[in-house]
Every structure is written in structure tokens, then in C-alpha cells.
Amino acid sequence: MQKIVIPLFVVSLILSACSAVDCPQNNTVDSVYQLKRANGMADTLTDTLSVITLMHNEKEDPVLINRDTKVTSFNVAMSYSGSEDILYFLIRAPRTKKDTIVSGNDTTITEKNYLVELLDTVVVGKENHKHFESVECTPSFFHTITGVRHTKNAIDSIVIHNREVNYDSSKEHFHLYLKSGY
């Protein structure tokens, strides 16, 4: 009897020592930008937006968003290290210019299509916090946003809405207000 109990005890001890580690399937840490109108309501991007960074190493694509349009919000990956992320927001907007030429009694109206490209630099200040799930999980960093500054070519303002950035991509971190017409 004792010969059976001891091996069963050892097997149960080994099985109880194993644990099921639930690593997050999506362990990306993105900041979420919500487009807003001056009245606080959600806005929709009618022009084309690309977001580029030069902070990544040469093995990674510096284009974080490529030609998004008709979106109300978008996610931008945050770097693991460094106290600032430098982003370039490129907005491309097709426009039509109408010219009216009056010569005597004749009036001629011409339309000319052209493309406006506006580039804004956005600098996000942040503190990085190592986040440990388990040795079986991919390492990750969470962030606390400490500030944001930007140029004002197409962007009117950026307001920090939620400072803590982690796996939860349902939270809005920034409210982005574009100048009218963009």
C-alpha cells in the first residue's frame, strides 16, 4: 500500500506545483488619441493622417499610422524606454481653390485642385514602469504621461485625459483638437 501512496503523492505534488500562467494575448501598450470638436463632442478625421516616429531602432517601421482617414480615434504605440516620445503627425488635405476673373462683361471661374500637407511635432513626456507578469510572459512597460507639447500647424490643442497607459486600450489618453478645416 505504501508503495502506491508515495508515487501518487509525488505525482500530485508535481501537478500542483505547475501553474497556468495567463499571459496577455495582446501585450502592446498604446496611447489612445480621441478626436474632439471644440464643443467636446467626438470628431471624425476627414483628411488623411500619418504618424511617424524616429525613436524606433532600424529594425522597426517608423510609420506608426499610415494614411488613416474617417476615424474618430487612433492608437499610437509608446516606446519602452526614454522619458519622451517624439511623434510627427502629417495631415494631407485635398483642397480646391476657386478663382474668379472678371474681364469687362465676362466672368470666368476656374477651379484648381491642390494638396495641403501640414506637419506637427508632438512630444509626449512619460515615466516608464516595468510590468512583470511571469517569466513565461513577454516583458512590458506601463507608462505615466507627464506632459505633452506640440506645434500648431494643424493641431489646435492636445489635452491629457488619462495619464496611466497600460494594456487597457479602451481608455482615452489624449483628446486631440484639430484646427477647423482639418
Side-chain angles (χ1 to χ4, degrees):
M1 177 75 173
Q2 200 172 16
K3 289 182 179 181
I4 296 174
V5 171
I6 292 175
L8 286 175
F9 176 74
V10 170
V11 167
S12 67
L13 187 64
I14 290 171
L15 290 175
S16 66
C18 296
S19 64
V21 176
D22 282 339
C23 296
Q25 289 184 352
N26 181 10
N27 69 342
T28 59
V29 179
D30 293 347
S31 55
V32 179
Y33 290 76
Q34 174 69 46
L35 291 166
K36 294 285 187 175
R37 293 184 181 150
N39 64 6
M41 300 298 291
D43 198 3
T44 302
L45 182 68
T46 55
D47 296 313
T48 304
L49 170 71
S50 297
V51 179
I52 303 152
T53 183
L54 302 179
M55 302 291 290
H56 293 275
N57 63 42
E58 61 260 357
K59 293 181 182 178
E60 295 176 350
D61 189 358
V63 178
L64 303 176
I65 295 175
N66 190 19
R67 297 182 180 179
D68 256 359
T69 188
K70 296 184 179 34
V71 295
T72 58
S73 67
F74 54 91
N75 297 9
V76 174
M78 297 191 87
S79 66
Y80 291 142
S81 61
S83 60
E84 291 183 333
D85 282 355
I86 301 172
L87 307 168
Y88 302 98
F89 285 49
L90 176 62
I91 294 182
R92 292 187 176 120
R95 297 291 185 252
T96 302
K97 181 180 179 184
K98 291 184 179 182
D99 287 327
T100 304
I101 302 170
V102 178
S103 175
N105 292 333
D106 294 332
T107 302
T108 305
I109 298 174
T110 61
E111 289 187 2
K112 188 177 197 179
N113 294 326
Y114 62 100
L115 185 66
V116 174
E117 293 185 328
L118 297 173
L119 181 68
D120 276 305
T121 303
V122 176
V123 180
V124 177
K126 62 189 178 64
E127 295 174 352
N128 307 305
H129 312 285
K130 291 180 184 175
H131 178 71
F132 180 77
E133 300 266 342
S134 167
V135 293
E136 287 88 11
C137 299
T138 305
S140 62
F141 284 84
F142 289 173
H143 309 281
T144 301
I145 299 167
T146 58
V148 63
R149 61 187 195 277
H150 59 87
T151 57
K152 293 185 173 239
N153 295 315
I155 297 174
D156 181 63
S157 62
I158 300 175
V159 177
I160 300 171
H161 182 69
N162 185 347
R163 292 186 182 278
E164 301 303 319
V165 183
N166 51 37
Y167 295 144
D168 187 358
S169 62
S170 68
K171 293 182 180 178
E172 300 168 3
H173 300 103
F174 298 101
H175 287 172
L176 175 64
Y177 298 85
L178 296 175
K179 292 182 178 180
S180 62
Y182 296 103

